[in-house]
């Protein structure tokens, strides 16, 4: 009676035959080689869940400690800073005509507002004197902060922020009012303003996905390329034609 050969010998002979057929290229051999599949059990799933919970908890604690540290710069406590943030969001939505002012605190959005506020205050401190900032320096202050609104947009927001007659006709801008103007023009993420009607995209000052393209024009960014004047002319003519047709049909 013949005794069958062990399965390990048959597998080895099969691998040898594959290697002889493929040749010395080990990369190709590894593609043909069978791989053992890992078996996921309930115990392994439980271990992975516990590990993920520990890691996420550690990350959340680190973020909370970072928020507490940043909040000490803006106010006496985190609760006071959150209340200040909620009042700002309410004022911004009210000025933009958004009446659903219910605010849910999101730590990522709160941190974005604190970072921007601190950056604006640092830029303001570089230009202010002992009284404040002159009104004629507002556009330069905005450009220092990376924003380029037009004079008309700045005047409109000036009237919205300065409700008191003495402040409205003053030539000195306080730090709080200048930063309030910036947040009104460029609302923080927590305001959830999808269509910002204060800053509109124009040919000279385009806005793409909420980012101002004028800063690339001012800084001479290498991503910019010289455009063909014929292509630009066709684009402008098509836009003017479309606008006139829209006005004709609407009237």
């Amino acid at each position: 009676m013949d005794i069958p050969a062990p399965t390990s010998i048959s597998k080895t002979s099969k691998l040898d035959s594959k290697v002889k057929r493929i040749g010395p290229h080990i990369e190709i051999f590894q593609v043909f080689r069978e791989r053992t599949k890992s078996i996921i059990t309930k115990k392994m799933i439980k271990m992975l869940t516990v590990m993920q919970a520990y890691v996420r908890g550690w990350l959340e604690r680190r973020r909370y400690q970072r928020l507490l540290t940043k909040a000490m710069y803006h106010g006496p406590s985190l609760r006071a800073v959150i209340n200040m943030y909620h009042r700002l969001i309410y004022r911004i939505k009210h000025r933009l005509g958004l009446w659903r002012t219910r605010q849910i605190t999101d730590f990522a959005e709160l941190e974005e507002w604190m970072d921007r506020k601190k950056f604006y205050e640092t830029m303001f401190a570089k230009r202010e004197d002992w009284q404040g900032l002159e009104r004629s320096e507002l556009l330069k202050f905005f450009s220092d902060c990376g924003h380029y609104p037009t004079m008309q947009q700045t005047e409109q927001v000036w009237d919205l922020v300065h409700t008191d007659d003495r402040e409205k006709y003053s030539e000195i801008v306080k730090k709080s009012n200048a930063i309030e103007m910036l947040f009104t023009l460029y609302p923080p993420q927590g305001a959830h303003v999808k269509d910002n009607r204060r800053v509109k995209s124009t040919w000279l000052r385009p806005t793409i996905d909420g980012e101002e393209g004028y800063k690339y024009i001012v800084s001479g960014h290498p991503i910019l390329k010289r455009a063909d004047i014929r292509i630009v002319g066709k684009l402008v003519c098509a836009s003017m034609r479309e606008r006139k047709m829209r006005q004709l049909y609407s009237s």
Side-chain angles (χ1 to χ4, degrees), residues 22 47 64 73 78 98 104 135 138 147 149 156 165 190 211 234:
I22 296 170
M47 291 170 57
Y64 185 72
Y73 174 83
L78 180 60
L98 304 176
I104 300 175
R135 187 172 178 176
L138 262 180
H147 301 297
Q156 291 174 354
D165 291 339
E211 185 178 8
K234 290 180 181 179

Side-chain angles (χ1 to χ4, degrees), residues 25-156:
H25 301 287
I26 189 63
E27 294 84 0
I28 302 176
F29 168 71
Q30 290 177 352
V31 174
F32 283 88
R33 186 177 180 182
E34 296 180 359
R35 298 180 180 179
T36 57
K37 297 181 180 179
S38 58
I39 301 175
I40 300 178
T41 60
K42 291 183 178 180
K43 183 178 180 181
M44 186 177 295
I45 294 175
K46 186 177 180 180
M47 291 170 57
L48 293 174
T49 304
V50 172
M51 186 183 301
Q52 185 182 26
Y54 271 105
V55 172
R56 292 188 64 180
W58 180 81
L59 290 175
E60 288 297 324
R61 287 192 298 272
R62 292 278 295 180
R63 184 169 68 167
Y64 185 72
Q65 291 296 328
R66 187 174 67 248
L67 282 173
L68 287 177
T69 304
K70 291 183 178 181
M72 292 300 103
Y73 174 83
H74 299 281
S77 63
L78 180 60
R79 172 53 59 186
V81 173
I82 291 176
N83 292 335
M84 184 194 313
Y85 170 69
H86 285 176
R87 289 193 295 268
L88 173 71
I89 296 297
Y90 177 84
R91 292 194 299 270
I92 291 173
K93 287 187 174 183
H94 181 74
R95 289 167 187 152
L96 295 176
L98 304 176
W99 304 111
R100 296 184 63 182
T101 56
R102 181 172 178 264
Q103 181 64 29
I104 300 175
T105 305
D106 184 275
F107 281 167
E109 296 171 349
L110 176 65
E111 188 174 9
E112 182 262 347
W113 169 76
M114 288 194 294
D115 292 341
R116 283 180 58 184
K117 182 174 179 291
K118 184 177 181 180
F119 175 68
Y120 293 159
E121 290 174 350
T122 304
M123 293 296 105
F124 188 89
K126 292 181 179 180
R127 287 191 172 272
E128 69 172 337
D129 53 16
W130 64 278
Q131 289 182 333
L133 184 70
E134 293 185 3
R135 187 172 178 176
S136 59
E137 297 286 321
L138 262 180
L139 290 180
K140 295 180 181 179
F141 163 64
F142 291 162
S143 63
D144 291 342
C145 297
H147 301 297
Y148 300 91
T150 61
M151 180 61 72
Q152 182 181 4
Q153 294 168 349
T154 305
E155 293 297 330
Q156 291 174 354

Side-chain angles (χ1 to χ4, degrees), residues 10 14 88 97 108 114 139 152 159 174 178 233 239 245 247 250:
S10 61
K14 289 181 180 180
L88 173 71
M114 288 194 294
L139 290 180
Q152 182 181 4
D159 294 335
K174 296 180 180 179
S239 176
M245 293 296 293
Q247 292 175 355
S250 61

